[in-house]
Amino acid sequence: MIKLNGLYPPLPTSFKEDENLYLLKIQENIQKLCTHDLAGILVLGSNGELVMLSKEEKKKVYETARKAIPAGKLMIAGSGAQSTRETIELSKIASGSGADAVLVLSPSYYKGQMSSEALAVFYHDVADNSPVPVIIYNMPSNSGLDMDAETILAAAQHDNIIGLKDSGGNLVKMGAVIKNAKPNFQVLAGSAGFLLPALSLGAVGGILALANIAPELCLDIYKSFLAGDMDSAQKYQLDAVELNTAVTRKWGVPALKTAMDHLGLYGGPVRKPLLPLNGSIKSQLIELINKSFPE
């Protein structure tokens, strides 16, 4: 079984000014990030603007990323869609493009009908048909649907479902999943804002937006924890909170891309209907980045 231990940046998708894919910049960003001791890369997660891309574009991103990710580092590919059929199709495309595992966001458009049973059946159907292992993705701030522990545990019973990325930050629920899941079920923190508490409960790593712009800080938290140096881990965790909040819940993908541009990676434009940061917020973000990374 694939071991998910370690940290993964959820790579933003690079666009040109006309909003077309900028595949060269995707490749260059991956190459720069992979100089750090990261376990791999997630492409087309929430920060990758997955829902903004056509099926053909998603395939191009998968293929481009796989070529750029070095051997020995995992490629996790977002493949969630609103229908089971499309999710299976995207999972097969991702697998054919070289993904090691797929990250599947729960469907949520008909959230009133997304009972625990419906979600478990969805994940089991996908896992039955995906050529690569499936990771459950709980992201309530984007989907508007927060899976409870019982739902996650029911879905996790499938042999081809190997883990969970939980971005909700409910540590009580995370603990219940870790305690009651099958052996070797792997939980990943979905935000650097609660990486250390998640590791303390038994998470094996994280998929962290902050790892795109501050990979070493995220790795400092992770490695200090593994070394048993909780004082240092706590210090690094507290250092991460403010900047992480700015590029996740507060200002989102536009802020993450702006931060990447400022720090020597390629962020570039977002796809509409997302809008770039206005001047005031951009100034606040740059000031925060400069405070977080003093010369």
Side-chain angles (χ1 to χ4, degrees):
M1 186 177 75
I2 293 172
K3 291 196 175 297
L4 300 175
N5 302 61
L7 304 185
Y8 305 80
L11 189 76
T13 299
S14 301
F15 300 118
K16 300 177 182 177
E17 288 303 319
D18 61 4
E19 297 188 22
N20 286 322
L21 289 176
Y22 204 162
L23 298 176
L24 176 63
K25 294 300 181 185
I26 292 173
Q27 205 168 35
E28 290 177 354
N29 281 343
I30 290 172
Q31 289 166 348
K32 288 178 181 177
L33 286 167
C34 285
T35 62
H36 301 278
D37 193 18
L38 298 163
I41 302 283
L42 166 66
V43 293
L44 296 187
S46 300
N47 285 290
E49 298 175 71
L50 169 73
V51 296
M52 310 292 199
L53 274 65
S54 69
K55 183 173 69 177
E56 292 73 19
E57 288 176 319
K58 289 169 187 171
K59 185 173 188 290
K60 288 179 182 177
V61 173
Y62 295 149
E63 291 172 345
T64 299
R66 182 69 273 179
K67 289 174 185 173
I69 296 170
K73 292 187 185 287
L74 296 180
M75 173 178 155
I76 302 174
S79 64
Q82 290 303 311
S83 74
T84 302
R85 177 179 291 226
E86 185 179 357
T87 303
I88 290 169
E89 184 180 8
L90 285 173
S91 298
K92 289 179 176 178
I93 291 170
S95 170
S97 301
D100 296 292
V102 289
L103 180 72
V104 177
L105 182 65
S106 51
S108 58
Y109 186 84
Y110 295 106
K111 61 176 62 67
Q113 278 72 54
M114 289 298 101
S115 63
S116 182
E117 180 187 9
L119 288 167
V121 169
F122 165 75
Y123 277 107
H124 289 180
D125 285 344
V126 174
D128 280 341
N129 291 281
S130 174
V132 293
V134 173
I135 302 167
I136 299 166
Y137 184 15
N138 186 48
M139 178 52 160
S141 65
N142 281 8
S143 68
L145 193 156
D146 192 1
M147 288 187 285
D148 59 24
E150 290 74 19
T151 302
I152 293 166
L153 289 166
Q157 291 174 2
H158 195 287
D159 288 344
N160 199 34
I161 294 180
I162 62 167
L164 163 73
K165 178 196 175 188
D166 197 318
S167 297
N170 183 332
L171 294 168
V172 174
K173 177 169 67 180
M174 189 179 292
V177 170
I178 291 169
K179 180 180 179 180
N180 296 299
K182 65 191 178 189
N184 300 317
F185 186 73
Q186 302 166 86
V187 173
L188 295 166
S191 171
F194 52 85
L195 175 59
L196 180 57
L199 293 171
S200 300
L201 288 172
V204 300
I207 297 175
L208 317 171
L210 190 65
N212 285 291
I213 57 171
E216 287 304 322
L217 176 57
C218 296
L219 286 163
D220 284 340
I221 300 169
Y222 179 67
K223 291 182 176 181
S224 296
F225 172 80
L226 292 183
D229 184 356
M230 295 303 290
D231 288 342
S232 294
Q234 183 183 44
K235 175 192 176 297
Y236 294 131
Q237 176 66 75
L238 293 173
D239 287 345
V241 170
E242 188 177 11
L243 183 58
N244 178 74
T245 300
V247 299
T248 53
R249 291 182 185 274
K250 192 172 183 182
W251 297 321
V253 179
L256 180 56
K257 286 190 164 184
T258 298
M260 290 175 73
D261 283 329
H262 187 68
L263 291 167
L265 293 151
Y266 182 84
V270 289
R271 242 186 203 180
K272 292 177 179 177
L274 293 178
L275 296 175
L277 298 186
N278 67 40
S280 171
I281 294 176
K282 185 174 180 180
S283 297
Q284 291 178 58
L285 176 63
I286 298 302
E287 184 179 340
L288 178 57
I289 293 169
N290 291 339
K291 185 175 80 172
S292 301
F293 303 105
E295 292 296 336

